[in-house]
Amino acid sequence: LNGRLSGGEPPDDIVDQLIEYANESGGKDNITALLVTVAKPPRRRYKSVARMRLDALRSGELFGDLSFRHLALLLGACRQEHLEPGDVLIRAGEPNDELIVVVEGSLASVDVEGSRELNAGDHVGASCLLTPRPARATLHAVTTGRCLLLNASEFNHLVVTRPWLGVTLLRHLGEHLAETLDKSGRRELL
């Protein structure tokens, strides 16, 4: 029977085929045929939340070449924030000691010079991990989304308790800050 029914849509005379199969198999009277169609489950359109978090950390230049193990340790030090459109994550001038990484959705960073949109993998506040200071911009959700927040105290704990990871994170952070400084057109004296 399986050979008759495998693949594609069932034929129009499927009930007759089932009754014939039952009779050929020794059925004698009152044969009932029941046809059940099982649809394939829909393809997963969304990644798991854990996978999206790892991908967001990995996609930025700050943590892009960390091993899975190091990313998992870093992820364990972060907290996640769920945001709805209009939610304010931080206001300009408020004290800030957190790196913020967008996992999904989009955020707007608004300051006196204008605004820019942040999407999955983008981050702000890297320098605040080393020196907490007032936020330069207000950060609010444009769409529903999630972000990861790593505060300076958790970052310092990772640096102290996981020296190899700490050295790697500090090197990445230094490279990122130097690149940001170069892009700004400012040159620091050596």
Side-chain angles (χ1 to χ4, degrees):
L1 180 65
N2 191 29
R4 293 183 186 178
L5 301 179
S6 63
E9 291 290 314
D12 291 335
D13 65 340
I14 187 67
V15 173
D16 294 334
Q17 287 185 33
L18 288 170
I19 292 171
E20 180 183 332
Y21 175 77
N23 284 332
E24 289 173 0
S25 300
K28 300 225 188 262
D29 57 2
N30 294 335
I31 297 171
T32 302
L34 176 64
L35 175 62
V36 177
T37 303
V38 179
K40 288 183 182 179
R43 287 183 145 209
R44 264 188 104 159
R45 295 184 307 165
Y46 303 102
K47 296 178 185 178
S48 72
V49 173
R51 182 59 178 211
M52 286 190 309
R53 291 177 193 163
L54 286 171
D55 288 349
L57 287 176
R58 184 178 285 137
S59 67
E61 72 274 356
L62 203 51
F63 309 118
D65 66 348
L66 290 181
S67 69
F68 178 81
R69 179 173 167 258
H70 287 156
L71 282 171
L73 288 168
L74 184 63
L75 187 57
C78 294
R79 69 182 172 87
Q80 180 178 282
E81 192 78 29
H82 177 81
L83 300 166
E84 293 296 327
D87 286 353
V88 175
L89 197 55
I90 192 161
R91 294 186 190 287
E94 289 180 352
N96 185 33
D97 70 345
E98 294 181 311
L99 167 73
I100 301 164
V101 180
V102 180
V103 174
E104 69 175 323
S106 63
L107 305 176
S109 175
V110 182
D111 61 19
V112 294
E113 296 176 12
S115 69
R116 70 180 182 116
E117 190 168 311
L118 304 168
N119 297 299
D122 292 338
H123 68 274
V124 293
S127 63
C128 295
L129 292 175
L130 298 176
T131 307
R133 62 179 192 212
R136 288 188 247 168
T138 297
L139 195 62
H140 68 87
V142 175
T143 65
T144 299
R146 291 185 176 91
C147 59
L148 296 173
L149 294 95
L150 176 63
N151 67 38
S153 131
E154 290 294 331
F155 178 77
N156 289 332
H157 180 74
L158 277 176
V159 169
V160 170
T161 60
R162 310 280 184 180
W164 184 252
L165 176 59
V167 167
T168 302
L169 290 175
L170 288 169
R171 181 177 48 81
H172 283 261
L173 192 54
E175 289 169 356
H176 170 72
L177 294 174
E179 186 177 307
T180 301
L181 190 60
D182 287 347
K183 285 180 184 176
S184 74
R186 293 174 52 193
R187 299 284 186 243
E188 297 299 314
L189 296 175
L190 296 177

